């Protein structure tokens, strides 16, 4: 535990109390509901729809057109799309329909070789979709176009998926709210006054509303799972190294960065996750046994309702604690598996542990060096932060705050860095010994449901629940478990040992069957 870190937490908590009346008053404003979905096709799973396309029950063009129409209906309200390729997608869908019509006797081969044939999807802007924007919300990069598909997108296209658009992120993915100076702010479809999270917030919003059937996103410290929670969808951070990072921006040459950053799927239905990971991982999926059924009665379920009590931390809400315990009880009573408290008291220090490792990464791109206005040597972080506070900088305030935290190593003495690296390794060994190859760990994804726009500054420490999975190298799936008392999505994450992603998926599916999973946003 670091006193300076806890003092920072105390300052943020006091600030949150001070600002609470402002956020409360703003929350009283009416928020418009989304237009209703015009077809129930958009509510079905990717797995079901891919089969229907192959069997001629629906055409790819029908599905692509339905998604395009839905995006045009909802995007003016949620602002999730950065740039689209609708015309190209329609042309690709026509070719898919012609191909299927000419190969009706080869459907089994098509299902094996192109399991996503004709299915429309979306792509987080940072991953790279050839011909579309890859500015990643950074004003000096405005106009930057991806010259090639990222490897993950190549795998999706190889499997027959049809990308529709790239979706919004915070500047260079450096925030847990998707807001930037190019595309602006993405809004939560369950309450437009609330955030979609970040950095994959555009993906969360477009999938939750039915504009996209699934998406591909990236996660360095919760960037898939937090938006998945806030938007009520499933999101998976795979085991390290399963999905190629080639084509992602920002990038870094540091080997630790490649261990922590993961590209994974987001979808509305749990049954789609094994298929999507299998496609994204390509040859690397071998050995994961994603097609092998998991017998839940043989699983050991461990859980913690919170990392540990602290006066200065963001407290886990009662409704999330309750739904977590309900999930544990359901798994225990329905499947007869073992269930008990996890012995990971070290998670109380996960801010210091994970923060030290993340902020100590080397070769991270220097954001200030991207400036189109000044030479990097003419700029200082402090000056830009002050200018940004008044809207006078090229860079967003939170991205500069992140740079400041990195500059000062979260106020943790550099002499303590090796200590926390050792703490991380010891915790990893303990987790692996506990979970083995048949254990899962149920844990909050974020302490509270989607917070107000701009409230991210005061609740940032809540990411301690997700970022520890990245530094420990563990797969984790966010599981939506319905709506809370304010009508906002709530849920938990299911964590497993390295390369045991299928355990996460099996538990996610079991919980979806019990609690309902994704709930469509309210509509007029």
């Amino acid at each position: 535990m670091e006193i300076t870190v806890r003092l920072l937490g105390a300052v943020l908590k006091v600030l949150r109390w001070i600002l609470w009346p402002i956020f409360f008053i703003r929350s009283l404003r009416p928020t418009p509901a989304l237009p209703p979905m015009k077809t129930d096709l958009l509510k079905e799973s990717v797995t079901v729809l891919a089969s229907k396309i192959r069997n001629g029950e629906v055409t790819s063009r029908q599905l692509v057109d339905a998604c395009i129409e839905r995006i045009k209906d909802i995007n003016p309200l949620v602002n999730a799309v950065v740039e689209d390729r609708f015309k190209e997608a329609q042309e690709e869908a026509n070719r898919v329909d012609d191909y299927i019509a000419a190969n009706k006797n080869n459907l089994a081969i098509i299902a094996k070789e192109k399991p996503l044939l004709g299915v429309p999807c979306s792509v987080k802007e940072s991953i790279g979709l050839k011909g579309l924007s890859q500015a990643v919300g950074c004003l000096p990069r405005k106009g930057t176009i991806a010259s090639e598909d990222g490897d993950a997108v190549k795998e999706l296209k190889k499997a027959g998926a049809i990308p529709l658009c790239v979706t919004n992120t915070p500047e260079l993915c450096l925030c847990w709210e998707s807001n930037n100076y190019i595309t602006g702010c993405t809004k939560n479809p369950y309450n437009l006054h609330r955030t979609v999270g970040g950095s994959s917030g555009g993906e969360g919003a477009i999938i939750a509303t039915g504009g996209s059937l699934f998406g591909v996103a990236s996660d360095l410290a919760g960037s898939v799972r937090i938006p998945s929670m806030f938007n009520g969808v499933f999101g998976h951070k795979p085991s390290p190294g399963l999905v190629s990072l080639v084509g992602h921006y920002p990038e870094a040459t540091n080997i630790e960065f490649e261990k922590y950053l993961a590209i994974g799927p987001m979808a509305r239905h749990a049954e789609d996750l094994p298929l999507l990971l299998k496609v994204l991982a390509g040859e690397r999926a071998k050995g994961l046994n994603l097609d092998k059924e998991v017998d839940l009665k043989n699983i050991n379920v461990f859980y913690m309702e919170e990392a540990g009590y602290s006066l200065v931390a963001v407290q886990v809400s009662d409704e999330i604690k309750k739904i977590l315990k309900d999930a544990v009880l359901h798994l225990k009573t329905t499947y007869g598996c073992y269930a008990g408290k996890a012995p990971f008291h070290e998670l109380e220090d996960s801010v210091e542990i994970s923060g030290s490792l993340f902020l100590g990464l080397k070769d991270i791109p220097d954001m200030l060096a991207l400036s189109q206005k000044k030479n990097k040597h003419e700029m200082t972080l402090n000056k830009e932060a002050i200018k940004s506070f008044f809207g006078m900088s090229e860079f967003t305030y939170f991205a500069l705050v992140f740079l400041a935290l990195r500059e000062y190593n979260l106020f943790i003495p550099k002499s303590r860095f090796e200590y926390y690296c050792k703490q991380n390794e010891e915790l990893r060994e303990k987790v692996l010994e506990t979970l083995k190859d048949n254990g899962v760990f149920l844990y909050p994804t974020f302490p509270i449901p989607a917070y107000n726009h701009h409230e991210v500054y005061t609740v940032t420490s809540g990411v301690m629940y997700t970022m520890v999975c990245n530094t420990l190298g563990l797969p984790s799936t966010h599981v939506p478990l319905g709506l809370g008392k304010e009508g906002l999505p709530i849920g938990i994450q299911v964590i497993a040992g390295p390369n045991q992603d299928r355990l996460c998926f099996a538990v996610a599916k079991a919980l979806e069957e019990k609690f309902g999973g994704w709930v469509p946003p309210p509509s007029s």
Side-chain angles (χ1 to χ4, degrees), residues 192-318:
L192 299 180
H193 299 319
R194 300 298 181 104
T195 184
V196 291
S199 58
S200 310
E203 280 301 301
I206 205 72
I207 295 167
T209 55
S212 172
L213 299 181
F214 76 93
V216 58
S218 56
D219 189 308
L220 181 62
S223 291
V224 162
R225 290 158 290 157
I226 293 173
S228 293
M229 174 174 164
F230 290 174
N231 294 279
V233 300
F234 292 86
H236 182 65
K237 184 207 85 69
S239 296
L242 285 183
V243 182
S244 171
L245 303 178
V246 173
H248 188 277
Y249 188 90
E251 59 186 349
T253 57
N254 189 296
I255 189 65
E256 299 302 319
F257 183 83
E258 296 182 2
K259 289 180 182 178
Y260 302 157
L261 179 65
I263 288 176
M266 297 172 68
R268 291 191 300 276
H269 299 276
E271 73 169 330
D272 296 329
L273 296 177
L275 169 61
L276 296 176
L277 181 59
K278 189 176 181 180
V279 167
L280 289 169
E283 290 297 313
R284 304 182 192 193
K286 292 180 179 178
L288 293 180
N289 296 314
L290 292 173
D291 296 325
K292 184 178 179 180
E293 187 174 353
V294 175
D295 189 345
L296 290 175
K297 74 173 183 290
N298 296 325
I299 284 184
N300 294 324
V301 178
F302 301 91
Y303 71 97
M304 287 176 63
E305 299 164 48
E306 57 187 352
Y309 181 74
S310 171
L311 285 173
V312 299
V314 180
Q315 301 301 311
V316 178
S317 71
D318 290 340

Side-chain angles (χ1 to χ4, degrees), residues 77-147:
L77 291 171
V78 298
N79 188 35
V81 175
V82 174
E83 190 174 6
D84 69 69
R85 57 187 303 277
F86 292 161
K87 183 178 179 181
E88 295 88 341
Q90 290 171 323
E91 292 171 352
E92 290 168 13
N94 289 337
R95 290 196 290 271
V96 165
D97 294 331
D98 291 341
Y99 176 81
I100 290 175
N103 290 273
K104 290 181 179 179
N105 296 326
N106 299 315
L107 296 185
I109 295 175
I110 292 174
K112 181 178 180 181
E113 296 182 353
K114 294 183 178 295
L116 297 177
L117 187 62
V119 178
C121 66
S122 49
V123 176
K124 182 179 180 179
E125 191 193 6
S126 63
I127 292 172
L129 177 55
K130 184 177 180 179
L132 297 192
S133 173
Q134 201 176 16
V136 198
C138 184
L139 200 55
R141 284 178 56 86
K142 186 176 182 179
T144 300
I145 303 298
S147 58

Side-chain angles (χ1 to χ4, degrees), residues 179-196:
N179 191 1
N180 62 66
Y181 286 155
I182 299 177
T183 319
C185 181
T186 302
K187 299 177 182 179
N188 193 299
Y190 294 85
N191 184 328
L192 299 180
H193 299 319
R194 300 298 181 104
T195 184
V196 291

Side-chain angles (χ1 to χ4, degrees), residues 452-469:
N452 296 282
H453 293 296
H454 308 300
E455 196 177 4
V456 60
Y457 303 104
T458 65
V459 295
T460 297
S461 65
V463 304
M464 67 188 289
Y465 286 90
T466 51
M467 65 182 181
V468 71
C469 294

Side-chain angles (χ1 to χ4, degrees), residues 414-430:
K414 290 186 177 181
S415 60
R416 299 276 284 172
F417 181 78
E418 289 299 325
Y419 169 78
Y420 285 116
C421 283
K422 183 179 179 182
Q423 290 286 95
N424 188 74
E425 285 305 308
E426 290 177 353
L427 177 56
R428 174 179 163 81
E429 290 176 9
K430 186 174 184 179

